[in-house]
Amino acid sequence: DAGITQSPRHKVTETGTPVTLRCHQTENHRYMYWYRQDPGHGLRLIHYSYGVKDTDKGEVSDGYSVSRSKTEDFLLTLESATSSQTSVYFCAISLAGGNNEQFFGPGTRLTVL
Amino acid sequence: GENVEQHPSTLSVQEGDSAVIKCTYSDSASNYFPWYKQELGKGPQLIIDIRSNVGEKKDQRIAVTLNKTAKHFSLHITETQPEDSAVYFCAAENSGYALNFGKGTSLLVTP
C-alpha cells in the first residue's frame, strides 16, 4: 500500500461521540486525501491537504474536519458521529496533485450505532 | 464536482474472454485518467493510467483508450483470468488537485 497506514482499521462507536481516524505515510508525498466509500456511490472526496496546515473541502465535507500538522500525518475527525457516517474511509497520497498517481491506504471500516 | 459515469455496473465474462469497461467525463480540462482495481477488503490499487496527450496505452493484458473529443475512455482486459475478478474504478482529474471517481464495475471472471 505504498507506505500508507491507517488506524484504526475497524471501529464501532455510538451516535454523538467524536471519532478521529489517522493516516500515516512514509513517502513524503505533498498531497493527502480522505475518501469515503459507500455502496452505489463509489469513492467520494471528503477533504484533502496540499501541504502542512493547508487543507480544503471535498464534495462531502459536512460533519468532518481534518488537520495536518506534519507531512506524514493527516487526521480526519467526526465531531459528533451520525449513523450516516457509517462507511469505509480511505486515505490516499499523491506526489503532486490530481494529475498524478494517487495511492490508497488499506481503509478504516467505521460503524456508527 | 464534475461527473464521471461508468458502465456497466456489473460484468460477467468467461475465462479467456475480453472485458471492456467504459467511462465518460464532463470536465474538458481533465488531462489525467487512472484506473483502479479493488479487491475485497482492500484499498483501490492503481493498475494503469493515461494522459490526454496519448490516445492509447497498453500494459500486458490491460489497455486503456482515450477519446478527448468525445470525453470518454475505456479499460480493456484481454485473456481474462479468475484473479481479474474485482471492482474496477475509473477516475478523471478534477481541477488539478483531486480525482473524481466513477461508481465502479464489479467484474466476475468465471472459469
Side-chain angles (χ1 to χ4, degrees), chain A residues 33 37 40 48 90 98-99 102, chain B residues 36 38 51 89 96-97 103:
Chain A
Y33 305 85
Q37 185 174 40
Y48 71 100
F90 287 100
N99 57 358
Q102 280 192 27
Chain B
Y36 287 83
Q38 186 177 26
R51 298 185 186 276
F89 292 95
Y97 66 85
K103 294 184 178 181

Side-chain angles (χ1 to χ4, degrees), chain B residues 3 15 17 19 24 32 34 38 44 47 51 53 82 92 95-96 98 108 110:
Chain B
N3 286 333
E15 182 177 2
D17 288 349
T24 60
Y32 175 64
Q38 186 177 26
I47 56 171
R51 298 185 186 276
N53 57 343
S95 304
L108 177 64
T110 55

Side-chain angles (χ1 to χ4, degrees), chain A residues 2 4 25-33 35 48-52 68 71 92-104, chain B residues 32 36 46 49 51 96-99:
Chain A
I4 311 168
Q25 60 142 332
T26 58
E27 305 297 320
N28 200 35
H29 281 19
R30 178 183 173 192
Y31 282 75
M32 297 185 76
Y33 305 85
Y35 292 90
Y48 71 100
S49 169
Y50 49 96
V52 174
R68 191 168 179 199
T71 299
I93 65 173
S94 174
L95 185 61
N99 57 358
N100 285 263
E101 296 89 342
Q102 280 192 27
F103 302 100
F104 282 80
Chain B
Y32 175 64
Y36 287 83
L46 179 68
D49 56 14
R51 298 185 186 276
Y97 66 85
L99 295 171

Side-chain angles (χ1 to χ4, degrees), chain B:
Chain B
E2 300 295 335
N3 286 333
V4 176
E5 300 290 333
Q6 182 172 348
H7 299 280
S9 57
T10 61
L11 179 59
S12 182
V13 301
Q14 286 202 314
E15 182 177 2
D17 288 349
S18 295
V20 180
I21 303 170
K22 299 182 179 181
C23 289
T24 60
Y25 62 98
S26 57
D27 185 359
S28 57
S30 295
N31 289 308
Y32 175 64
F33 307 91
W35 286 87
Y36 287 83
K37 176 183 181 183
Q38 186 177 26
E39 298 176 334
L40 196 62
K42 297 185 178 181
Q45 180 183 15
L46 179 68
I47 56 171
I48 195 167
D49 56 14
I50 191 168
R51 298 185 186 276
S52 59
N53 57 343
V54 299
E56 183 174 359
K57 184 176 178 181
K58 191 173 182 179
D59 182 3
Q60 298 183 335
R61 296 187 296 108
I62 295 174
V64 57
T65 58
L66 171 65
N67 183 328
K68 278 223 76 177
T69 302
K71 296 184 192 173
H72 65 71
F73 56 113
S74 300
L75 178 71
H76 303 254
I77 305 174
T78 59
E79 301 173 23
T80 54
Q81 301 168 3
E83 51 265 40
D84 294 329
S85 296
V87 179
Y88 291 81
F89 292 95
C90 64
E93 172 198 356
N94 179 352
S95 304
Y97 66 85
L99 295 171
N100 285 327
F101 285 83
K103 294 184 178 181
T105 295
S106 179
L107 174 64
L108 177 64
V109 181
T110 55

Side-chain angles (χ1 to χ4, degrees), chain A residues 16-52:
Chain A
T17 59
V19 176
T20 296
L21 309 183
R22 179 182 183 237
C23 178
H24 179 78
Q25 60 142 332
T26 58
E27 305 297 320
N28 200 35
H29 281 19
R30 178 183 173 192
Y31 282 75
M32 297 185 76
Y33 305 85
W34 277 108
Y35 292 90
R36 60 178 289 173
Q37 185 174 40
D38 306 288
H41 291 278
L43 290 152
R44 294 181 291 175
L45 182 65
I46 305 171
H47 281 279
Y48 71 100
S49 169
Y50 49 96
V52 174

